[in-house]
Amino acid sequence: MDKIANGIWRVRFGNPESHTPVNLRETEVRTEELAKLDCHGVSPFSLSDMVIKQSARGIYLELPLKAEEHIYGFGLQLHRVDHTGRKKVIRVNSDPVADTGDSHAPVPFYVTTAGYGVLVDTSRYATFYCGTNLRKGASENKKFEQKEIGTSEIELYGYQTTEGDRSVVVDIPSAEGIDVYLFEGPDMVTAVQRYNLFSGGGVLPPMWGLGMWYRAYSAASREDVMRLAKCFRDDGMPVDVFGFEPGWQTKAYSCSFVWDESRFPDHEGMLDELYDMNYRVNLWEHLFVHPTSPMYEDLMPYSGDYEVWEGLVPDLAVKEARDIFAKHHLKEFVEKGISGFKLDECDSSDFVHSNWSFPDIATFPSGMDGEQMHNQLGTLYQSAIQAPFEALGRRTLSQVRSSGALTSPFPFVLYSDLYNHKVFIRGVVNCGFSGLLWSPEVRQAESPEDLIRRIQTAVFSPMALLNCWRIPNPPWMQVDRDKNVRGEFLDNYKDIRDICRKLFEIRMTLIPYLYTSYAKYSIEGLPPFRALVMDYPDDPNTYEIDDAYMMGDSILVAPIITGTSERDVYLPKGRWRCFWTNEAYEGGQAYTFAPGLERIPVFVKEGTLLPLAKPLPYVSDNATFDITVRAYGDRPSDCFLYEDDGTTFEYRKGSFNWVKLTWNEGVDVERIGNYTGKRYNITDWELFK
Amino acid sequence: MDKIANGIWRVRFGNPESHTPVNLRETEVRTEELAKLDCHGVSPFSLSDMVIKQSARGIYLELPLKAEEHIYGFGLQLHRVDHTGRKKVIRVNSDPVADTGDSHAPVPFYVTTAGYGVLVDTSRYATFYCGTNLRKGASENKKFEQKEIGTSEIELYGYQTTEGDRSVVVDIPSAEGIDVYLFEGPDMVTAVQRYNLFSGGGVLPPMWGLGMWYRAYSAASREDVMRLAKCFRDDGMPVDVFGFEPGWQTKAYSCSFVWDESRFPDHEGMLDELYDMNYRVNLWEHLFVHPTSPMYEDLMPYSGDYEVWEGLVPDLAVKEARDIFAKHHLKEFVEKGISGFKLDECDSSDFVHSNWSFPDIATFPSGMDGEQMHNQLGTLYQSAIQAPFEALGRRTLSQVRSSGALTSPFPFVLYSDLYNHKVFIRGVVNCGFSGLLWSPEVRQAESPEDLIRRIQTAVFSPMALLNCWRIPNPPWMQVDRDKNVRGEFLDNYKDIRDICRKLFEIRMTLIPYLYTSYAKYSIEGLPPFRALVMDYPDDPNTYEIDDAYMMGDSILVAPIITGTSERDVYLPKGRWRCFWTNEAYEGGQAYTFAPGLERIPVFVKEGTLLPLAKPLPYVSDNATFDITVRAYGDRPSDCFLYEDDGTTFEYRKGSFNWVKLTWNEGVDVERIGNYTGKRYNITDWELFK
């Protein structure tokens, strides 16, 4: 067992494969920041606690799991938060319809309530059996109670869970060796921070990335785009990022990576107009390269041996392919002001009407096979697309549909074609366990109520995104798709729009707070969005909560699904304040809230100094925020706001400030750091005793 | 390439695994019957057409697939009939919710419209890529048409299929060698027959197995059972088999295999009463052995290393385990008159609220691992349970929830906890490609109409089963479960019951015809239920039909789903007669039929002599059938009816007759064979010119 950083150990068995997340990584372990984390200096397990062996199937790994331990993680798991007693297959998939482990972003990493983390360094479709089965004979001498005979499936299967000390068994196919990384706590959140710092720290998005996002109709023309762009500004709807869907390219399945001049004549002129209106522009794409693409011939020798949708699958683990990709993106898009991309289709499909993507047995010039490539594709793609932004010294925040292990440093937020609202909320709860960001995007809505409920979740999430690729007009004008296409609008669309605007403005209000939370992600590895169990691992009431989460250190969010006017919210120990009414609630218990259509339950920890900005219509490069500070309780703690230029990488050289707010019958402000600009003006305060 | 029987070749590569379907089989290849099939004596492929190689993942196998070829098979695939262009994983699963290949009965065997079959002899979770992807560069010089930009998922993905000559690529994990069996045609149905005869021929069920089946309430007591049993006889509802669900055992999850005397005092007395009423009794069980079972201690050394539901997983690939299992079943059940079993839970679960069963990395005394055992478990279980019946010389027809390759000789019919009616019909269409039988069982119904529609499918299927384990009273009295439990019955339940009775009687009418179809399955390997493409491989109109099928040689069945009063039916070339009205229809085209609630579209081939029996209330051991022969057309072909004692294995020694019916302005009857009894009296005939 090798200690490889403060609180991180590696166990090596046999001959590990070459193409694993750790071996393929291009980011640096944040050793310095790791050294600052609390640490007992004792590995969570000793070697004798573990079983590792080789079989015909590959590698067998067994780790202990105590009776009282609960397991979290495994990437963007959309169907369950607490994986104890479950089987999870770490396999990338675009439509994870069931609780199998399949995920847009499968990650072979878990943490437990006992306060440690485990990374199994493999790109294989590894299976984790999280205490699913006891060993033969374990129940031999058990006392059995007489049970009622079930007359439904749930009665027959429902009560069947294993009990007592068990093990986590990992089945890693094909491999002849494995590296296992153990992350010390002392608690779960610290183990996660350690994993994120090992990954390279969290991402710091550009400030504008925290504003509102709107993706337009797939079949939109230049006129349609400009009409929408003007309409948002005219209506005072804050929108920062304008997204183009497949229609911008000459070929979309597979991609040409070339503007369609018939739909978008003089597209550079159009982009200038959008930039003048302070929009950032994001372009949809995927990485399968159409024969008509200018990159096609160059990429041929550096591609896998099978086509997808008539296109090449570039091997982005090979420098040449990455360079061709990066160069085209730099020259054609990033240098022309494009702020980011939406990287679609980089997962793989099995569970919908058609299956697509390359076979698991495909081979690639790098030596990877299809299985390994599938689990790494999203990560390699993010890395290739980040390169031109690094080259220009400009941050991006972009979207990606697939990710994996060690990706916390990447400026990409996950999304899905799934759409169940509960599932989307669960994604926010879960993403923080594995160094991922997730956007519960708003697409269609079954009613204005549904639209509002979904926007509420979005504005309290890592990325506030409306993806309106199927409708030419804003959803607040008409939620029914066919009517929207026909231009038939709701009678009361102005009322709906006003509610939406208020919600967008809430997002804008929270930007300084959110930006600071992301800065902590970047520097300390602390996820900006977290399951409650991560902050309250000693409170078993939080173990199963999959419909409420922490946003930053002080705010608890509990979204509401359409069709219900009230919901229960469990507030952990301590005192809490309603974000809307400032009313106080004693934690350690659940309350029922019915906040009305325009609000969802949101709570602030007592003792917080909460900075709320006056909403801007967009976050320009030089935007400054006028801030009102809410002081909750008798002795609010100091608040540190992060401040930098918001768009470049100068912060890496130390060009940033911590703006320290201290309560002193008013707010004292102190700037600590080397950034010479000023993003925040503290203009007012309110005290709630 | 070794020729191993008439029209069957084997290609061996490397060192094939020990635990494969062929290596584990206990049945005999039917060499003699194989010799009688048409044969060109030329292997479907030459060695040079195939690629087989070893990789880190296991074995890579590639076979040609012509542009015009369509692929069928892969076992009980419930979500698709034509697998061309699709990926299929051969993995056993209890809840195959999507078109992934996961199945109750995955079979690594496919046939194509080009008239050959391929068996890849593996118990691994092999993946078949059926022409999913073209090779890199194949589309380089293609002419591309301008496509509209999609504004929905189906538009984006829907048109994406590969074209031209492709290949079938098979990914067989873990293996270091493989045997591939090639089955010559000349046509698809002959290739299937060859596969079935290689498997050991089709099963010949006992005659009573073709009657109606009723499984009773899981929580029923002795009184409840007897009340139901009497009610069927009093109401003149034909029922042959009475099934007990989990409540008969002292422990069900896992199983004790011991009668619960508190629920069923003097259970042997109850059984005698049921036998006296001419019921056959079938018992539910699964193979996970509870610590309180009398088999537990004996099975401990012959079980896998993990528990399921606190029970042992006996290794039925080991003789000792099989013997313990067979002996207990012989002594406690079969010798006491039990006619068969329902073998539940022998698949494995991933896609529902909980996952259960043993891990893929489990190990078993036989040397199999969990993956291999999962794919073989249903087959091994069937073999073990068949043994006591063989020992007593008595046939069974039983149920099983999992099966696999080479299982056509087993007297077991598959079922599922899924319940979509379309999916259930597709199961009937598909099962015949892979030597399987399937029952589209009737459980709950959303309305009396739904009940009737589902019963109609059931009575025209391999096994006519009502599985009423969730309701204490017959479904025709009340379809609403809660009301059924409370004993609140439909006002018009007598009308519903009368319709159901007529349908049950249709089944009884068809028994001689069906029994003969099963005899052909047994002797010639010809599946009794077949997709239309199997009989009409040159007619592309049949390639995608997944909602109509052939029952025996002469009858085409087209079930109706609740909520529609009419449906389209494509009748292949030739002349057809409506089963109900005898009206004639010219084939080669589709018709719309609206036959009313009490009927579904059923057609008989012109030129058929169709034997229809006077319905009996049950099929006793000595039952004889009074038969009316329907003669369709000017010159009906001879009809051969199969006849034997209906319950023993004497037929294997030649004790059976072919009853030859010849049309001669009436019906001439000739008996050919050594069976001295007589099961059919030809009492009447009707001519439809």
Side-chain angles (χ1 to χ4, degrees), chain B residues 157-176:
Chain B
Y157 300 117
Y159 53 71
Q160 305 290 348
T161 52
T162 55
E163 293 158 10
D165 287 354
R166 295 156 287 178
S167 54
V168 175
V169 174
V170 194
D171 179 20
I172 306 145
S174 306
E176 296 182 344

Side-chain angles (χ1 to χ4, degrees), chain A residues 17 56-57 60 62 80 85-87 91 97-100 124 127 129 132-140 142 144-160 167 169-171 174 217-219 246-247 249-253 260 263 290-292 296-297 300-312 344-345 348-361 365 369 371 401 417 443 469-470 481, chain B residues 17 56-57 60 62 80 85-88 91 97-100 124 127 129 132-140 142 144-160 167 169-171 174 217-219 246-247 249-253 260 263 290-292 296-297 300-312 344-345 348-361 365 369 371 401 417 443 469-470 481:
Chain A
E17 295 189 293
R57 301 177 50 80
Y60 173 102
E62 194 177 332
R80 183 167 286 271
R86 301 289 168 147
K87 167 184 170 187
R91 179 174 48 205
V97 293
D99 183 29
T100 54
R124 297 287 172 196
T127 304
Y129 297 88
T132 52
N133 296 70
L134 294 179
R135 286 287 189 174
K136 170 163 87 169
S139 304
E140 185 170 7
K142 199 179 150 178
F144 296 100
E145 287 163 27
Q146 191 57 41
K147 294 167 183 162
E148 284 296 303
I149 282 295
T151 57
S152 70
E153 278 89 356
I154 197 78
E155 285 171 33
L156 288 181
Y157 299 116
Y159 53 72
Q160 303 291 346
S167 53
V169 174
V170 193
D171 179 20
S174 307
Y217 194 41
S218 185
Q249 292 189 52
T250 54
K251 298 284 175 191
Y253 281 81
D260 184 342
R263 210 180 289 275
H290 194 267
T292 60
Y296 187 83
E297 266 189 56
M300 180 72 83
Y302 309 113
S303 293
D305 56 351
Y306 284 97
E307 290 184 346
V308 175
W309 297 320
E310 302 172 334
L312 295 175
D344 210 12
E345 317 291 15
S348 181
S349 165
D350 286 304
F351 299 108
V352 284
H353 48 86
S354 75
N355 39 43
W356 51 262
S357 209
F358 50 86
D360 290 338
I361 43 71
D369 63 29
E371 175 187 7
R401 213 175 68 192
D417 283 357
R443 290 198 299 270
W469 74 284
R470 297 177 73 239
R481 187 197 173 206
Chain B
E17 294 188 293
R57 300 176 51 79
Y60 173 102
E62 192 176 334
R80 181 167 288 270
R86 300 291 168 146
K87 167 185 170 187
K88 289 286 134 79
R91 179 175 46 204
V97 292
D99 183 29
T100 54
R124 296 288 171 194
T127 304
Y129 296 89
T132 52
N133 295 70
L134 294 178
R135 286 287 188 174
K136 168 164 90 169
S139 304
E140 185 171 9
K142 199 178 151 180
F144 296 98
E145 288 163 26
Q146 191 55 44
K147 294 167 181 161
E148 285 295 302
I149 282 296
T151 58
S152 69
E153 277 89 356
I154 198 79
E155 285 170 35
L156 288 182
Y157 300 117
Y159 53 71
Q160 305 290 348
S167 54
V169 174
V170 194
D171 179 20
S174 306
Y217 193 43
S218 185
Q249 291 188 54
T250 53
K251 296 285 174 190
Y253 281 81
D260 184 342
R263 210 179 289 273
H290 195 266
T292 60
Y296 187 83
E297 265 189 54
M300 179 71 84
Y302 309 111
S303 294
D305 56 351
Y306 282 96
E307 291 184 347
V308 176
W309 295 321
E310 301 172 336
L312 295 175
D344 209 12
E345 318 290 15
S348 181
S349 164
D350 285 305
F351 299 108
V352 285
H353 48 86
S354 75
N355 40 42
W356 50 262
S357 207
F358 49 86
D360 289 338
I361 43 72
D369 63 31
E371 175 187 8
R401 212 174 68 192
D417 284 356
R443 291 197 299 269
W469 74 284
R470 298 177 73 239
R481 188 200 171 203

Side-chain angles (χ1 to χ4, degrees), chain B residues 207-213 233 236-241 278 280 458-460 464 500-515 551 579 611-620 623-628 680:
Chain B
M207 218 170 194
W208 55 257
L210 304 180
M212 296 301 305
W213 291 57
R233 294 294 180 245
M237 301 298 284
V239 173
D240 270 286
V241 185
N278 284 286
R280 317 282 169 164
V459 300
F460 289 99
C500 293
R501 186 191 300 107
K502 275 194 222 163
L503 293 169
F504 288 17
E505 287 177 350
I506 291 285
R507 177 75 180 188
M508 302 309 284
T509 291
L510 290 166
I511 285 181
Y513 173 84
L514 273 172
Y515 194 55
M551 179 171 89
F579 178 78
L612 295 178
K614 186 176 159 201
L616 297 172
Y618 44 78
V619 185
S620 63
T624 56
F625 293 86
D626 290 341
I627 287 178
T628 297
Y680 311 125

Side-chain angles (χ1 to χ4, degrees), chain B residues 268 275 327-338 341 388-389 391-392 394:
Chain B
E268 295 195 19
Y275 301 156
K327 193 176 146 198
H328 182 83
H329 281 77
L330 178 65
K331 198 165 139 261
E332 298 298 328
F333 308 122
V334 185
E335 282 184 352
K336 294 187 174 159
I338 297 301
F341 298 88
F389 291 98
L392 288 192
R394 242 170 62 204

Side-chain angles (χ1 to χ4, degrees), chain A residues 245-496:
Chain A
E245 286 289 301
W248 74 270
Q249 292 189 52
T250 54
K251 298 284 175 191
Y253 281 81
S254 44
C255 284
S256 64
F257 304 91
V258 171
W259 277 93
D260 184 342
E261 287 287 335
S262 70
R263 210 180 289 275
F264 296 100
D266 179 25
H267 71 270
E268 296 196 16
M270 174 190 67
L271 292 177
D272 285 340
E273 282 186 51
L274 288 168
Y275 301 157
D276 285 346
M277 297 167 79
N278 286 287
Y279 288 107
R280 318 282 171 163
V281 174
N282 179 295
L283 299 180
W284 172 97
E285 61 166 62
H286 58 70
L287 89 171
F288 306 121
V289 181
H290 194 267
T292 60
S293 171
M295 291 192 281
Y296 187 83
E297 266 189 56
D298 290 347
L299 283 171
M300 180 72 83
Y302 309 113
S303 293
D305 56 351
Y306 284 97
E307 290 184 346
V308 175
W309 297 320
E310 302 172 334
L312 295 175
V313 186
D315 182 351
L316 296 178
V318 168
K319 187 177 180 309
E320 289 86 346
R322 225 163 39 228
D323 286 350
I324 295 165
F325 232 72
K327 193 177 146 197
H328 182 83
H329 281 77
L330 177 65
K331 201 166 137 260
E332 298 298 326
F333 309 121
V334 184
E335 283 184 351
K336 294 184 175 162
I338 297 300
S339 77
F341 299 88
K342 174 180 173 180
L343 310 183
D344 210 12
E345 317 291 15
C346 44
D347 30 41
S348 181
S349 165
D350 286 304
F351 299 108
V352 284
H353 48 86
S354 75
N355 39 43
W356 51 262
S357 209
F358 50 86
D360 290 338
I361 43 71
T363 59
F364 289 84
S366 61
M368 292 171 84
D369 63 29
E371 175 187 7
Q372 295 171 310
M373 185 57 87
H374 273 305
N375 267 2
Q376 287 295 141
L377 194 62
T379 306
L380 292 166
Y381 196 10
Q382 289 172 70
S383 184
I385 294 297
Q386 197 187 0
F389 291 98
E390 291 280 345
L392 288 193
R394 243 170 61 205
R395 283 183 244 171
T396 178
L397 188 65
S398 286
Q399 295 188 261
V400 70
R401 213 175 68 192
S402 172
S403 197
L406 309 178
T407 54
S408 58
F410 290 111
F412 289 84
V413 182
L414 289 155
Y415 63 97
S416 177
D417 283 357
L418 297 183
Y419 202 53
N420 179 292
H421 193 173
K422 276 178 105 72
V423 162
F424 271 31
I425 295 165
R426 195 180 292 121
V428 182
V429 175
N430 261 349
C431 64
F433 290 116
S434 309
L436 302 169
L437 298 172
W438 156 255
S439 69
E441 68 175 32
V442 183
R443 290 198 299 270
Q444 61 275 26
E446 61 187 52
S447 61
E449 179 194 352
D450 187 32
L451 177 70
I452 290 162
R453 290 309 189 193
R454 285 178 177 275
I455 289 178
Q456 286 163 338
T457 301
V459 300
F460 290 99
S461 83
M463 174 184 271
L465 171 66
L466 278 70
N467 177 14
C468 301
W469 74 284
R470 297 177 73 239
I471 47 174
N473 296 293
W476 49 83
M477 298 184 76
Q478 179 55 268
V479 292
D480 181 280
R481 187 197 173 206
D482 294 337
K483 291 184 182 165
N484 192 300
V485 170
R486 291 198 300 270
E488 297 168 25
F489 302 129
L490 292 165
D491 291 340
N492 64 338
Y493 82 83
K494 290 184 182 172
D495 301 338
I496 311 297

